[in-house]
Amino acid sequence: EEEGRRAGRRLRELGIGLTLAPDADLAYEGGPWAQRSFSEEVDVTTSRVRAALRGYRATGVAAAVGHFPGEGAASQDPRLGTATVGLDLDELRRADVRPFAAVARQAPVVAMTEALYAAFDSVTPATLLPEAVSLLRDTGFRGAVLSGDIGTAAFAAGIDPGEAAVEALRAGCDMLLLRGDSRDQEEAVQAVARAIRSGDLPAGRIREALRRAGEVRTRYAREPLAAPG
């Protein structure tokens, strides 16, 4: 909790109102988060994610808990290449999903993963799958869903970033993360705009996404904290 407070205060001093943390992935031995997650134990991970959220919330920073539905058992870090999680849906619910479910009422934002899941269709990144977002909503989460990196998801799915951006919104993501260059970002913006104009993205889905993203902005977009001293 204290680490969350320190990190949140520094972010506020820099004028940053959202952080891609804390990490709720389980530290499976040999998995991509083995040395970086809180623990391989569900209860330990849950308690520390809760504590980190309290710390960030105390400083007014929105914390995006990742990476749903849990990429601890992935074949590799999805940001390094196509990654697969071989767990079935029951196994995910028994372990990986539980830390997210435990903070569903406290987390303002949850970030999806770009990994592929045997629990779904094994070929589509979770951030592009309505079934994966529905699983998150089933935990009681009512905040904003942040996509996984659109560029990474596009590569894994064999589509372009613009199409991936549209598919992420259609799947139920409310905010899009795109780490690519300005060309990829512009492509995504234009693709989303075309999909809205054509009706390929339903107006109701866009209104819902704007409402949830707006609630995060309204609650957390404050003036930077004054620098100490």
Side-chain angles (χ1 to χ4, degrees):
E1 182 174 349
E2 182 55 34
E3 288 174 356
R5 285 176 182 269
R6 285 198 298 267
R9 182 167 185 83
R10 181 58 179 149
L11 289 168
R12 271 294 169 198
E13 290 167 359
L14 296 171
I16 297 170
L18 185 145
T19 182
L20 302 183
D23 174 41
D25 297 306
L26 299 180
Y28 284 90
E29 184 177 356
W33 293 94
Q35 304 302 320
R36 295 182 288 171
S37 295
F38 288 125
S39 174
E40 63 181 338
E41 299 294 333
V42 172
D43 291 345
V44 174
T45 298
T46 297
S47 67
R48 293 181 181 177
V49 169
R50 279 178 169 154
L53 281 173
R54 289 195 298 270
Y56 285 118
R57 187 166 56 244
T59 63
V61 168
V65 183
H67 306 82
F68 192 85
E71 59 184 36
S75 55
Q76 65 174 335
D77 186 333
R79 284 152 290 281
L80 300 179
T82 302
T84 300
V85 175
L87 305 178
D88 64 30
L89 193 54
D90 286 340
E91 289 172 320
L92 285 173
R93 285 176 170 150
R94 281 198 299 268
D96 298 67
V97 169
R98 284 173 55 196
F100 295 94
V103 299
R105 303 293 184 182
Q106 292 81 44
V109 182
V110 169
M112 300 296 292
T113 175
E114 311 92 346
L116 317 179
Y117 285 77
F120 302 116
D121 66 5
S122 298
V123 296
T124 306
T127 195
L128 308 183
L129 277 172
E131 297 87 348
V133 179
S134 292
L135 180 62
L136 172 59
R137 293 298 183 194
D138 288 345
T139 67
F141 177 68
R142 297 294 178 264
V145 178
L146 176 66
S147 76
D149 177 49
I150 293 298
T152 301
F155 177 82
I159 58 180
D160 61 52
E163 185 178 352
V166 172
E167 290 300 318
L169 287 169
R170 186 181 289 115
C173 293
D174 304 303
M175 303 160 64
L176 301 181
L177 172 65
L178 183 54
R179 296 188 176 97
D181 58 25
S182 59
R183 181 178 60 184
D184 287 347
Q185 292 170 357
E186 182 62 24
E187 179 183 341
V189 169
Q190 293 302 322
V192 169
R194 286 193 301 270
I196 293 173
R197 287 194 297 267
S198 69
D200 193 32
L201 274 173
R205 171 79 277 270
I206 296 303
R207 285 194 295 268
E208 181 181 60
L210 289 172
R211 176 181 61 79
R212 289 186 178 127
E215 288 171 354
V216 174
R217 180 180 294 275
T218 298
R219 181 175 179 183
Y220 293 95
R222 305 174 185 169
E223 292 296 318
L225 294 174

